Amino acid sequence: MAQQQNYKNHIRFYPPHHFVFYPFMLALLAGTIFYASKSEEYKLIWVFMAMFAVAIIWLAFMLRQHYALTLQNRIIVQEVHYRYFVVTGKRLELLEDKLSESQIFALRFAPDNELELLVNKIVQENLSPNVIKKTIKNWRADNNRV
């Protein structure tokens, strides 16, 4: 059985990416920098390889999250809208100009019985996403976030 999700453990890692690809690429980058500093004859080639490794790492990082998170962000917003409507009978869209996307994302962890009060508190006090998450008494896990 998986550990119950809460504020302290809600960040997820994708092992092949975080613990295989990135360490390999960082080792490759370290190796290219090492050889660029030691080899006068091939220094330019090693510097080019280091720049290439940096470009691959940066591109992989940006693309890995961009597509999945963009879609998941849209789904989370719709889910919070739906849950708010089911719980309150009111449309969250009417308050959306007072809520940031990050605040809405933090609301996904709130259970239904805390949702309306938390939304009202956010509108009144403009709570940060971190404070919203810490305010939640009965954490509602989101185990599907990439």
Side-chain angles (χ1 to χ4, degrees):
M1 185 169 148
Q3 181 182 10
Q4 185 173 357
Q5 189 183 76
N6 57 45
Y7 174 76
K8 293 179 182 175
N9 69 6
H10 76 286
I11 296 174
R12 286 182 63 179
F13 293 101
Y14 181 56
H17 207 82
H18 290 102
F19 305 120
V20 176
F21 176 75
Y22 280 127
F24 173 78
M25 290 304 293
L26 291 175
L28 177 67
L29 178 59
T32 58
I33 291 170
F34 173 78
Y35 284 112
S37 68
K38 296 292 182 190
S39 172
E40 288 302 317
E41 186 178 355
Y42 298 108
K43 186 175 193 131
L44 190 58
I45 291 172
W46 286 114
V47 168
F48 174 76
M49 291 297 290
M51 291 178 4
F52 184 70
V54 167
I56 294 294
I57 293 168
W58 178 81
L59 183 63
F61 179 76
M62 297 306 289
L63 289 178
R64 176 187 71 86
Q65 288 193 309
H66 175 72
Y67 298 124
L69 291 180
T70 299
L71 178 59
Q72 285 186 6
N73 289 347
R74 292 182 67 179
I75 291 169
I76 289 168
V77 169
Q78 293 306 309
E79 174 194 350
V80 173
H81 282 197
Y82 176 73
R83 287 182 53 230
Y84 186 80
F85 181 76
V86 168
V87 168
T88 67
K90 304 172 197 165
R91 295 177 57 108
L92 185 61
E93 292 90 330
L94 301 175
L95 300 173
E96 214 163 15
D97 62 331
K98 298 173 182 158
L99 301 171
S100 70
E101 261 192 350
S102 298
Q103 289 170 319
I104 293 172
F105 299 153
L107 283 170
R108 77 182 182 276
F109 298 112
D112 290 346
N113 63 338
E114 295 179 35
L115 188 61
E116 184 175 18
L117 291 174
L118 196 50
V119 168
N120 293 337
K121 190 171 184 169
I122 294 167
V123 169
Q124 292 170 358
E125 300 175 27
N126 193 26
L127 302 177
S128 73
N130 204 33
V131 171
I132 293 167
K133 291 176 188 178
K134 289 179 179 178
T135 303
I136 296 169
K137 292 178 183 78
N138 297 304
W139 191 269
R140 182 178 175 271
D142 179 1
N143 294 312
N144 296 313
R145 184 81 169 162
V146 170

